[in-house]
Amino acid sequence: MRTFETKIQELKTSVLTEVARLTWEDRSQTSVLDIPEKIIPGPEASLRCCIYKERAIINSRVKMAMGGDKTNPCVVEVLPIACDECPVTEMTVSASCRGCLATRCVHACPKDAITIVNHRAQIDHQKCITCGKCLTACQYSAIVKTQRPCEKGCPAGAISMGPDKKASIDINKCISCGNCVYQCPFGAIQDKSWITDAIQMLRGGEHWGYKTYAVIAPSIAGQFAPATYGQLVAGLKALGFSGVAEVALGADMVADRESDELMERGVLTSSCCPGFVGYVKKKHPELDKYVSHTPSPMVMIGLHLKEKEPDAKVVFIGPCVAKKKEFQLGRTMNAIDCVLTYEELFALFESKDIDLTKLEEAELDEASPFGRNFARSGGVAQAVVQALQEKNADFEVKAVPCSGISQCEMALLKLKLGKLEGNFIEGMACEGGCVQGAGCLVRSPRNRLDVENHAKEAQGRTILAAVSAPKAQAAAKTESKTEKA
C-alpha cells in the first residue's frame, strides 16, 4: 500500500483508479455514479461535515477525472463545493500589537482604516484595501496578511476571490502550471484528466491495429520506487503500450537545434517549459520574439515517432500539468495525442493490478546524460553549452537559469530593460524544474538526485551521438521509399 504525501493525493488517486478500472471494463457509463459511495462508505464523516458533502465532492472529482467542464478552456478548475473553508484574504492585527505611541500603522494607511481601540490597533475591513502598507510600517510585525494558499501559491496572479467567496481563476492570466492544485489544502482546485482517453487509445490500438507509444519524461526516475526504471518500462508495456520512448531523447534534439538557433539569433529564451512560455506570452508579450522557435522535448520525440509511424498514438507521461494545455495547441503539430501525469500513471497501474516490483526489467536507453538532466533547473542551459562544444562552435553562452516564475520575472524584466547579463534565459515555472512538477507522485529534494543518477547511467554518450541514431533511421526510411518508387 503506497503512503501518499497528503490525504488529497490519496483521494485523487482513488478516484482516478476507479474511473480507470470502469473504463477498462467498459462500465463507466453505467457504474460511475457508484464511485462516491465506494470511496466514502460512511456512516461516519471523516473529512467534512457529513458523508453527503464528502460524496458530493468525490462526485466533482469524478467529473474532473473524466475530463472536467468541456466548455472551460482551463486545464485546472475550482471545485466550488470543496472551496468553502479558507478565510477571506485580509489584513489582521495579531496578539503582538503593543498599542505603541508611534502608531505608524495608523499614519501609513491611505484609507484611514486603522484606529486605536483600548490601546490596540483595529482594522475596519470595509475600508481596508489590503495594500500592505500597515504591515510594512508596524515595527512589531503585529499586522499580518492572511492570504488563501491558492492565491499565495499562484505565480501568475491568476487566482482571486469571487463574489461567492470562492476561488476564481482568470483564464487570461493562468499559465496552467498547476501550483494551485498542489497548494490548496482542501483539494478544491484540480487538474483535468484525460486518463479515459489514454485507455481508449490503448483499447483502440488492439482493435484497429495502430500502435500506441508512451513517452516518459526523465523526471520519472525514482517516482515509482522501489520499482526500478526498467520495471517501470515493463509496466507500461504490460498496460498495452506498443513501445516506450525517452522524452530525454527529444531533449537532446532540442539542445542540438536550440544551440544553432542561439548562435543565429544572439539572445534567446528556452521553449521547453509551457508554463514559462505561457507566462511570457501573457505577461510580457513584447518579449515573445525572444522565445525559441524550437519545439519542446515532448513535441520533438512525438514528431520523431510519428515520422516513422504517422498513424501511431503518442501519450506523454510527465510531472507537468501545463503539458495538458500544450498538447492541445497548434504549435505542437499533433505530435502528442494525450498527456498523463505520474499520479495518473500510478492510477493506471492500480486499475490493472500491476505490481511493478514483480516485473522483469525492460531496456530503455536512448538519450544522453544531458538530455536526461533537462528535468532539473540548469539542465537545459548545460545541454545547450554541451551541444555547442560538440560542434566546436565559436560562441559563448551566458546562461541565466531561472528556477520558478519569480526568478523568471526578474530575468525577463532585465531583458526588457536591456540589463540582462546573459544571452540565454532558461525558464522553469516550477521551482527546481520539472523534478518538482505539480503532477509528481513524490515532491522531494531527492528528486533532483534521482534524475542526476539516472543521467549518469547514460554517461559517455554525447548529444550528437544520441540524435544521430534517429536521424540515420529517418534517412534510411527515406532511401527505402525512394528505391521503391
Side-chain angles (χ1 to χ4, degrees):
M1 183 70 179
R2 185 180 186 90
T3 301
F4 291 95
E5 184 180 350
T6 66
K7 184 68 176 179
I8 295 168
Q9 192 181 44
E10 181 181 338
L11 285 171
K12 182 179 181 181
T13 303
S14 297
V15 170
L16 287 166
T17 301
E18 291 304 320
V19 168
R21 184 172 285 120
L22 291 177
T23 305
W24 285 118
E25 297 170 359
D26 206 17
R27 294 193 298 121
S28 58
Q29 297 300 317
T30 57
S31 303
V32 71
L33 295 178
D34 298 331
I35 293 177
E37 191 168 347
K38 182 175 182 180
I39 294 176
I40 308 292
E44 298 295 329
S46 60
L47 304 173
R48 299 284 183 151
C49 59
C50 64
I51 61 169
Y52 304 108
K53 182 165 186 177
E54 290 179 0
R55 289 172 180 170
I57 293 173
I58 292 296
N59 192 54
S60 293
R61 296 190 189 284
V62 169
K63 182 179 179 180
M64 292 296 289
M66 300 182 74
D69 182 358
K70 302 295 193 278
T71 65
N72 185 348
C74 254
V75 297
V76 293
E77 289 184 23
V78 177
L79 310 183
I81 192 169
C83 184
D84 63 354
E85 301 289 348
C86 293
V88 174
T89 296
E90 62 184 16
M91 311 305 296
T92 306
V93 179
S94 72
S96 300
C97 180
R98 311 308 300 163
C100 66
L101 295 177
T103 60
R104 294 182 189 275
C105 58
V106 175
H107 299 290
C109 181
K111 295 296 182 180
D112 296 324
I114 302 179
T115 55
I116 304 299
V117 179
N118 295 328
H119 305 291
R120 287 179 57 81
Q122 190 174 86
I123 300 175
D124 183 346
H125 293 109
Q126 297 297 318
K127 295 180 180 179
C128 178
I129 58 173
T130 62
C131 64
K133 291 183 178 180
C134 58
L135 185 149
T136 305
C138 180
Q139 295 167 296
Y140 287 100
S141 299
I143 299 178
V144 294
K145 184 176 183 179
T146 55
Q147 191 173 14
R148 288 184 167 189
C150 57
E151 288 185 52
K152 188 177 180 180
C154 179
I159 299 181
S160 60
M161 184 180 65
D164 55 358
K165 308 298 183 185
K166 299 182 186 295
S168 176
I169 301 174
D170 186 344
I171 183 63
N172 296 314
K173 294 181 180 179
C174 179
I175 59 173
S176 306
C177 66
N179 198 45
C180 55
V181 177
Y182 179 77
Q183 293 295 342
C184 178
F186 286 94
I189 304 179
Q190 190 172 322
D191 52 314
K192 294 176 180 175
S193 177
W194 280 267
I195 194 170
T196 57
D197 289 21
I199 293 171
Q200 296 297 0
M201 287 177 194
L202 288 168
R203 296 180 69 200
E206 295 175 359
H207 183 73
W208 299 106
Y210 61 78
K211 292 185 177 181
T212 307
Y213 289 94
V215 294
I216 53 176
S219 57
I220 203 168
Q223 286 291 303
F224 289 81
T228 65
Y229 184 71
Q231 288 174 322
L232 173 63
V233 175
L236 287 164
K237 291 180 179 179
L239 280 173
F241 284 101
S242 310
V244 186
E246 285 192 81
V247 175
L249 176 59
D252 285 323
M253 297 173 182
V254 168
D256 179 29
R257 186 185 296 189
E258 207 161 64
S259 59
D260 291 336
E261 189 180 2
L262 176 58
M263 282 194 296
E264 180 184 337
R265 297 173 61 182
V267 179
L268 204 65
T269 82
S270 63
S271 59
C272 301
C273 173
F276 168 71
V277 173
Y279 184 79
V280 174
K281 291 180 178 295
K282 291 185 176 184
K283 185 70 181 292
H284 300 286
E286 69 279 11
L287 298 179
D288 186 33
K289 61 185 179 182
Y290 292 105
V291 177
S292 171
H293 298 153
T294 302
S296 69
M298 175 185 80
V299 176
M300 291 294 274
I301 194 65
L303 290 172
H304 165 61
L305 290 171
K306 292 209 171 186
E307 185 178 14
K308 294 191 298 181
E309 299 180 51
D311 294 334
K313 300 294 183 184
V314 181
V315 179
F316 171 85
I317 301 169
C320 184
V321 171
K323 288 292 184 185
K324 294 184 177 185
K325 186 67 178 178
E326 183 188 9
F327 97 92
Q328 302 173 45
L329 301 176
R331 65 170 181 260
T332 62
M333 297 165 279
N334 297 317
I336 301 296
D337 298 284
C338 187
V339 166
L340 299 176
T341 62
Y342 300 146
E343 290 178 325
E344 291 160 338
L345 178 58
F346 179 81
L348 278 180
F349 288 138
E350 289 290 289
S351 70
K352 295 286 280 186
D353 298 318
I354 295 174
D355 185 347
L356 296 178
T357 61
K358 294 182 179 179
L359 300 178
E360 290 188 18
E361 292 190 359
E363 187 177 355
L364 180 62
D365 187 20
E366 304 172 306
S368 79
F370 305 97
R372 289 179 176 180
N373 269 325
F374 258 55
R376 49 97 168 152
S377 178
V380 179
Q382 183 184 29
V384 169
V385 170
Q386 174 66 18
L388 288 169
Q389 289 177 352
E390 291 180 20
K391 296 172 184 177
N392 296 315
D394 184 19
F395 186 89
E396 182 183 3
V397 180
K398 297 179 180 179
V400 184
C402 300
S403 174
I405 288 297
S406 59
Q407 287 188 12
C408 293
E409 173 69 5
M410 290 297 295
L412 291 170
L413 287 175
K414 288 179 180 178
L415 177 60
K416 184 186 294 187
L417 297 172
K419 296 182 178 181
L420 182 71
E421 296 180 358
N423 55 17
F424 182 69
I425 296 176
E426 179 204 290
M428 293 280 196
C430 295
E431 294 184 8
C434 306
V435 292
Q436 298 297 331
C440 283
L441 270 173
V442 181
R443 285 170 62 111
S444 163
R446 182 179 173 80
N447 291 9
R448 180 185 175 106
L449 181 61
D450 286 334
V451 166
E452 290 177 344
N453 288 336
H454 179 50
K456 288 177 183 177
E457 293 174 2
Q459 204 68 41
R461 184 181 293 134
T462 65
I463 292 173
L464 297 186
V467 301
S468 63
K471 284 182 179 179
Q473 292 174 5
K477 186 173 182 179
T478 302
E479 185 178 343
S480 176
K481 286 182 178 179
T482 304
E483 290 176 356
K484 290 180 179 179

